[in-house]
Amino acid sequence: VEGIPLNQLQFTAGMTTSGGFDRIVGSGRAAGGSIRFEGTQSRLSLSGDGLNLAQVTPVQRFIAASGIFSLQANLQRSGQDWIGPIQTTGQNGEIGYQPFDTLEGSIQLVSGGYAEISEISLLQPGRSHRVKGWLALDGSSSQLQVTSRNIRAENILPWLPSGVFISGNVDNDLMITGSLYNPIAAGQVRLSDGSVGTAQDSTILLDRLNGSYQRNNGVWALSDIQVSNWNMNFSAQGTVEENGHYEIRIFDGQMPLERALWRWPYPATGQTYFSGNLSGQGTDFSFVGEANGPALKMNDQNIQDFRARVEIRDRSILVPEVSFRQGNGAFSFAGVLDGNQRSIKGDLDVKN
């Protein structure tokens, strides 16, 4: 059978006077399991049990897969093609690094070398992937809708650019088009109770992340990203390349001063707003941004018109400008905070 290795085959056939056959019945061992078939030159009934997805070449050509499955097909010849329905079930495996306890599939082979997928479901308790659409059997074209609910983000890491790490629960609505050898992917993702970053030990904890993405020729374009966690909210958009290089714009950021990532030595309250540009690869990154706070309180002192420009490179924080007003006084600072040397250097200007 094309794409399925045969270890043993037995059959009987009724021959016609023209050298063909009018009926064939057989069985055999294939892909680690067993197959049975019965038919004529124009019709074929095929079933298989205990088959190993890892040994099915037409699947492995496009996506990594494992697990045991069975199938039932009732096909008829149409020109050079065999067409008709295929039903399949499976258990305890993975497809595209997505684990399943149960697999259920309903596929229709149609003329021209295409397969229409009514639905293929990968199921675990409380988690699911469901695939619908069509594809060319040679992988040259496709249109597949993939709906994923409550899956673990860690399982999709192999599909993401190098150096990107995420965790949490994911709902994802994905459309795949084009060649399966270099597909175009576009979708919307919702992540909750997780983290995202450039390494497992360098992540931002998230309550929620929503957004849209598109992958084309190895470049991921991110848009309408909304991020929320315990201490800040912000929006983002940008690109991430397959090698892990990223260019991200952050905007509409909000953070209460009392929930800043660092611990203040005195009470601090008030709403701050921020934006900036993040670029780099892995943990080697740079950030250029701005922050402001119209009305803050620090150590019971009122601060007005707080503004800051910040540049972060190689654990050093360059501060071209920090300014604020307190009462009748105006304060400004420009300098460098060196994380390697744990030092602060700069100029402070006070006007009263």
Side-chain angles (χ1 to χ4, degrees):
V1 180
E2 184 178 358
I4 301 178
L6 290 170
N7 305 114
Q8 178 183 338
L9 183 64
Q10 298 175 342
F11 67 91
T12 60
M15 306 301 293
T16 67
T17 57
S18 61
F21 61 88
D22 58 8
R23 184 172 181 271
I24 185 169
V25 177
S27 63
R29 302 290 300 175
S34 62
I35 60 169
R36 297 170 300 281
F37 54 90
E38 180 178 354
T40 66
Q41 294 188 71
S42 60
R43 294 184 179 274
L44 179 65
S45 176
L46 173 68
S47 63
D49 292 303
L51 305 175
N52 190 340
L53 270 171
Q55 297 183 33
V56 181
T57 302
V59 175
Q60 296 293 328
R61 186 183 302 146
F62 305 118
I63 194 168
S66 64
I68 303 302
F69 76 104
S70 61
L71 64 85
Q72 179 69 50
N74 292 290
L75 308 177
Q76 63 183 26
R77 184 175 288 280
S78 175
Q80 298 298 313
D81 301 317
W82 287 95
I83 65 173
I86 300 175
Q87 305 293 325
T88 184
T89 60
Q91 58 274 338
N92 302 327
E94 291 185 355
I95 295 181
Y97 311 104
Q98 308 309 299
F100 61 83
D101 294 342
T102 303
L103 179 150
E104 300 173 355
S106 179
I107 303 168
Q108 181 84 18
L109 299 182
V110 298
S111 296
Y114 290 88
E116 295 178 348
I117 300 173
S118 298
E119 183 167 285
I120 295 175
S121 301
L122 309 182
L123 306 174
Q124 288 185 311
R127 311 183 193 279
S128 65
H129 300 273
R130 302 184 188 276
V131 183
K132 298 180 179 180
W134 60 265
L135 56 85
L137 297 178
D138 64 1
S140 60
S141 59
S142 66
Q143 183 172 303
L144 301 172
Q145 177 184 337
V146 184
T147 303
S148 304
R149 292 293 179 265
N150 200 36
I151 65 171
R152 288 303 300 172
E154 294 87 340
N155 291 330
I156 65 176
L157 285 176
W159 294 101
L160 300 182
S162 172
V164 174
F165 179 83
I166 63 172
S167 66
N169 298 311
V170 171
D171 289 347
N172 189 42
D173 296 291
L174 167 65
M175 180 65 74
I176 297 173
T177 57
S179 167
L180 293 179
Y181 295 101
N182 186 24
I184 298 172
Q188 294 80 43
V189 64
R190 296 168 296 282
L191 183 147
S192 60
D193 300 325
S195 62
V196 62
T198 55
Q200 190 167 357
D201 59 353
S202 179
T203 60
I204 299 174
L205 295 178
L206 302 176
D207 295 330
R208 175 179 54 83
L209 181 150
N210 299 335
S212 300
Y213 61 88
Q214 183 176 54
R215 179 194 179 278
N216 192 359
N217 290 323
V219 178
W220 294 78
L222 311 178
S223 61
D224 301 322
I225 305 296
Q226 308 290 325
V227 177
S228 174
N229 67 6
W230 69 277
N231 70 331
M232 70 177 74
N233 303 311
F234 63 87
S235 301
Q237 64 182 36
T239 59
V240 184
E241 299 176 13
E242 290 288 273
N243 63 6
H245 180 80
Y246 48 86
E247 299 280 348
I248 306 293
R249 185 170 77 89
I250 297 171
F251 55 98
D252 293 339
Q254 301 182 38
M255 181 178 67
L257 201 59
E258 61 271 24
R259 293 187 178 182
L261 295 175
W262 52 89
R263 188 181 299 275
W264 298 100
Y266 39 74
T269 59
Q271 186 80 335
T272 61
Y273 305 88
F274 61 90
S275 63
N277 293 287
L278 179 67
S279 63
Q281 188 168 354
T283 57
D284 182 14
F285 71 92
S286 64
F287 176 79
V288 178
E290 299 180 351
N292 67 83
L296 309 176
K297 179 173 283 190
M298 304 181 71
N299 199 23
D300 292 326
Q301 302 297 309
N302 291 321
I303 303 295
Q304 293 85 36
D305 298 333
F306 169 81
R307 298 181 183 279
R309 291 191 295 118
V310 178
E311 300 178 13
I312 303 175
R313 292 184 177 88
D314 190 27
R315 294 196 65 194
S316 292
I317 303 177
L318 176 65
V319 185
E321 178 187 2
V322 173
S323 63
F324 61 89
R325 291 191 304 106
Q326 182 181 6
N328 295 323
F331 300 79
S332 63
F333 171 81
V336 177
L337 285 68
D338 192 324
N340 294 309
Q341 300 295 326
R342 297 185 178 182
S343 63
I344 301 175
K345 299 179 181 179
D347 298 315
L348 176 65
D349 183 40
V350 180
K351 296 180 181 180
N352 198 345

